[in-house]
Amino acid sequence: MADVAERGQRIVREFLRRQGEADAPPSPDPLNIGNAFMEMTARLMTNPASVVQAGIGFWQDYLTLWQNTARRMLGGEVQPVITERRGDKRFKDDAWRENEVFDFIKQSYLLSSRYVTNVVHGAEGLNPKTAQKVDFYTRQFTDAMSPSNFWLTNPEVLRKTAETGGENLLKGLSNLLSDLERGHGRLRINMTDESKFRIGENIAVTPGKVVYRNALMELIQYTPTTETALKRPLLLLPPWINKFYILDLRPKNSFVRWAVSQGHTVFVCSWVNPDENLAEMGFEDYMRLGPYAALEAIEKATDERQVNAIGYCLGGTLLASTLAHMAKRNDDRIASATFFTTMLDFEEAGELGVFIDEEQLQAIEAKMSKRGFLEGSEMADTFNMLRANDLIWSFVVQNYLLGQEPFPFDLLFWNGDSTRMPARMHSFYLRRMYQQNDLVKPGAIELDGEALDLRDIRLPAYILATREDHIAPWKSSYKATGIFSGPVRFVLAASGHIAGVVNPPDSGKYSHWVGTGDAPAEPAEWFEHATEFAGSWWPDWQRWILAQDRATVPARQPGAGGLPALEDAPGSYVKVMAGD
């Protein structure tokens, strides 16, 4: 207890010191939530009957719940008034169903959540963006108020408290203080045991060499495991919102290692974790020092002019922009393009659009103007809010209420290894693409002297989307099938933005859907006629790549060509942490 008190005082002192150093007081509503809910309230006041009707329905259900609970306590059999959605992990403990009190608490919460949601949805005439924001933050509120998040109303926590004499709560408080210390007074939830992972030692361990480096990226060439390799090298452009080793976590789930085993000469752009010195780096700099620089380096290393390219998420947006730029200059060095969970048309950007309005963009730009970059933790917080129950509240319960130590999990280690965003690039990306959707407007965006038109992209394209993607909704990714002018193969994988992509064939997880014939205009029509196949989509992609060009050459060793090896993979850039 003395240790807890001393650490708590230290955190408060650090917090007050940081507040004193701030140039201006923080905005009371940085997410611009107040205006959205004021507009919703005004709309509801014009139609009070809908509110009254929702309230009547709520109290009728609640009265039924009271009656059912009373009958159940007297030994009667009753059916629940409301049940949690299938797979809701918050109520997995048996006591939520078997104990009358906790069953009542759970159903009370579910009824209240449904009532609040129904009232919000009853506000007619809202601007779609405002309606989306109201809906999103209403769900954030109802998720936060779940009885599973409070020790007095969580049966598992109460049981643990009785078993340990409250030691779990003291341990949980210690965990909370540790997370506040790691965040220098700002809560940074520890999702995994980070001490169990070392980049280059037990994560991102596929053998290779850094063969090229510039201010924005290191180019890694991986060591072959086959005697021959496909003639065309493979260039991977991961997003710089996160680090590249999502594609090289462990040997068993590494897309990089698997691609090498399939005969690809694999090159990966490992992006720098930028600081204030790179504040003026723009999107065109990422194009020039990323794919363009990589193409020149690959040709020197392999004597091959043409490559197959893959872009993941923001890396896919960069790839498409580069292809449109290359089309203007009749540059055909990229022979085929693959897009993993990539948005090009941002009109329906999903729930990330909640964070893109003028007020929030101005607040973000004000922060970046002072520091020269967007802090990686701020970006991570945004993504975590998209899946708050899984990525926030479950850890609150496990770490702070149950007092458990986080389990070592490679994916969550990567998720916590956030990266910064250069101010100029990030402002351009948010405004020109998310807010204004200029990328799909012919000629609206100019990069390095060329006005981009995605319709100029005529090479074969493989587009992978994931069905439960919270970051790049699959129906938005599908729109690329109607933009590109070349042959397109669209594949939809089960699961989400990460698990749907990082799904090796040996895992036996998740299915994927493949269409036949030309892609229809509407994604729902495509899905209706698509065929579902069990397991990973990786073999389907490999067959598609081989159909483009099967020519092979002797396998190429990193550093043996025109570019010397600079250091072992995974290089130096990936090891720079956001807090460094």
Side-chain angles (χ1 to χ4, degrees):
M1 290 297 296
D3 175 65
V4 165
E6 190 276 329
R7 292 165 65 193
Q9 291 175 358
R10 188 167 64 246
I11 291 168
V12 170
R13 287 197 300 269
E14 174 69 11
F15 173 78
L16 293 175
R17 183 186 67 79
R18 288 175 173 267
Q19 296 305 302
E21 292 177 352
D23 295 333
S27 167
D29 186 14
L31 299 175
N32 194 31
I33 302 171
N35 288 336
F37 277 86
M38 285 179 64
E39 183 178 345
M40 178 205 71
T41 303
R43 294 290 181 179
L44 287 175
M45 291 174 65
T46 64
N47 186 19
S50 66
V51 180
V52 172
Q53 185 177 6
I56 292 173
F58 169 69
W59 285 111
Q60 287 175 337
D61 288 337
Y62 209 84
L63 181 60
T64 302
L65 175 60
W66 272 103
Q67 293 171 340
N68 285 0
T69 303
R71 285 201 298 267
R72 186 177 175 187
M73 286 183 170
L74 295 173
E77 292 288 335
V78 296
Q79 293 297 317
V81 178
I82 188 171
T83 58
E84 68 272 24
R85 70 180 186 278
R86 185 176 181 181
D88 192 337
K89 298 177 182 177
R90 296 176 296 176
F91 305 111
K92 65 179 184 298
D93 192 278
D94 291 339
W96 290 113
R97 290 167 296 279
E98 297 174 357
N99 183 284
E100 296 89 344
V101 173
F102 287 111
D103 181 56
F104 174 79
I105 291 172
K106 178 190 72 174
Q107 292 193 59
S108 296
Y109 162 73
L110 294 174
L111 286 174
S112 300
S113 298
R114 187 172 68 182
Y115 166 67
V116 171
T117 302
N118 288 343
V119 169
V120 167
H121 289 172
E124 299 178 351
L126 283 177
N127 175 283
K129 292 289 186 182
T130 302
Q132 183 186 41
K133 176 173 286 191
V134 168
D135 177 70
F136 178 80
Y137 283 109
T138 298
R139 281 187 284 113
Q140 294 294 314
F141 170 73
T142 56
D143 288 347
M145 297 307 295
S146 171
S148 59
N149 297 335
F150 302 92
W151 77 273
L152 277 175
T153 52
N154 186 318
E156 185 180 5
V157 174
L158 287 175
R159 195 162 52 243
K160 185 78 169 180
T161 304
E163 292 171 354
T164 66
E167 185 178 347
N168 59 303
L169 298 178
L170 187 59
K171 175 60 178 172
L173 179 57
S174 179
N175 289 342
L176 174 63
L177 292 174
S178 296
D179 289 350
L180 286 168
E181 288 171 336
R182 290 191 320 125
H184 302 288
R186 185 171 176 270
L187 184 62
R188 183 186 168 197
I189 299 176
N190 190 16
M191 298 182 180
T192 187
D193 186 352
E194 296 181 357
S195 67
K196 296 294 192 292
F197 297 100
R198 293 288 183 273
I199 297 174
E201 296 180 15
N202 61 357
I203 198 167
V205 295
T206 300
K209 303 286 185 182
V210 175
V211 295
Y212 173 80
R213 179 185 292 119
N214 61 35
L216 280 182
M217 68 93 176
E218 291 179 331
L219 186 67
I220 302 171
Q221 180 182 353
Y222 287 93
T223 304
T225 57
T226 56
E227 292 185 1
T228 61
L230 291 173
K231 189 174 187 291
R232 288 180 186 167
L234 178 65
L235 171 62
L236 293 175
L237 297 170
W240 54 93
I241 289 176
N242 301 104
K243 294 186 177 178
F244 84 88
Y245 65 86
I246 186 59
L247 296 171
D248 188 30
L249 287 171
R250 301 284 190 97
K252 65 180 181 180
N253 61 1
S254 168
F255 179 83
V256 168
R257 183 179 290 261
W258 180 85
V260 169
S261 74
Q262 301 302 303
H264 292 278
T265 304
V266 178
F267 291 83
V268 170
C269 283
S270 173
W271 302 104
V272 72
N273 201 343
D275 57 19
E276 63 276 5
N277 297 316
L278 298 177
E280 290 304 311
M281 285 290 179
F283 201 83
E284 69 277 6
D285 294 306
Y286 273 83
M287 178 183 72
R288 180 173 51 85
L289 298 177
Y292 268 121
L295 288 170
E296 293 178 9
I298 290 172
E299 186 170 358
K300 290 179 182 177
T302 65
D303 291 327
E304 292 296 337
R305 185 174 178 278
Q306 286 196 315
V307 307
N308 298 312
I310 296 177
Y312 192 168
C313 188
L314 176 54
T317 307
L318 176 65
L319 175 59
S321 302
T322 304
L323 290 171
H325 189 272
M326 295 173 74
K328 293 294 185 184
R329 300 187 174 184
N330 297 314
D331 187 339
D332 63 351
R333 284 180 291 172
I334 295 179
S336 76
T338 298
F339 300 89
F340 293 168
T341 60
T342 296
M343 276 199 302
L344 305 178
D345 187 328
F346 290 78
E347 181 180 1
E348 298 175 12
E351 291 187 330
L352 275 178
V354 168
F355 302 94
I356 310 297
D357 58 30
E358 186 59 33
E359 292 81 3
Q360 291 184 84
L361 289 181
Q362 289 181 9
I364 291 172
E365 288 170 342
K367 287 182 180 180
M368 293 193 298
S369 67
K370 297 175 184 177
R371 297 181 300 211
F373 55 85
L374 181 71
E375 190 61 66
S377 59
E378 295 170 2
M379 180 72 70
D381 289 345
T382 298
F383 289 129
N384 290 344
M385 288 177 70
L386 299 180
R387 295 177 54 206
N389 284 328
D390 292 333
L391 296 178
I392 298 177
W393 297 114
S394 66
F395 292 101
V396 168
V397 174
Q398 293 296 318
N399 297 5
Y400 308 150
L401 300 184
L402 293 174
Q404 297 178 355
E405 294 294 335
F407 184 78
F409 186 19
D410 55 2
L411 183 57
L412 290 177
F413 174 80
W414 168 86
N415 187 65
D417 190 8
S418 55
T419 55
R420 312 179 194 98
M421 295 289 106
R424 181 165 169 256
M425 183 286 304
H426 198 56
S427 180
F428 174 90
Y429 178 55
L430 293 180
R431 286 193 175 277
R432 300 299 302 279
M433 296 186 183
Y434 267 99
Q435 187 185 41
Q436 299 170 206
N437 197 23
D438 282 343
L439 187 57
V440 294
K441 302 172 184 175
I445 286 182
E446 182 177 309
L447 295 180
D448 197 19
E450 302 292 351
L452 305 186
D453 187 346
L454 298 183
R455 297 174 301 179
D456 292 337
I457 300 174
R458 303 183 183 280
L459 48 70
Y462 187 103
I463 300 175
L464 174 81
T466 54
R467 194 177 182 187
E468 300 167 25
D469 200 327
H470 292 77
I471 297 172
W474 81 266
K475 292 181 180 179
S476 294
S477 297
Y478 182 84
K479 291 183 177 181
T481 62
I483 298 174
F484 296 156
S485 299
V488 175
R489 183 174 181 80
F490 183 84
V491 175
L492 180 65
S495 196
H497 193 75
I498 301 300
V501 175
V502 185
N503 182 30
D506 291 344
S507 71
K509 290 183 177 180
Y510 312 126
S511 59
H512 63 281
W513 289 263
V514 176
T516 56
D518 295 334
E522 294 299 322
E525 183 181 349
W526 177 90
F527 187 76
E528 182 181 353
H529 296 96
T531 302
E532 183 178 8
F533 294 91
S536 173
W537 56 269
W538 292 11
D540 179 81
W541 173 81
Q542 176 67 4
R543 289 189 293 269
W544 179 83
I545 280 287
L546 292 176
Q548 310 307 316
D549 189 349
R550 291 177 173 270
T552 60
V553 296
R556 310 167 177 108
Q557 294 293 330
L563 290 179
L566 303 180
E567 64 176 297
D568 290 338
S572 301
Y573 283 0
V574 72
K575 296 178 182 178
V576 177
M577 311 293 281
D580 293 346

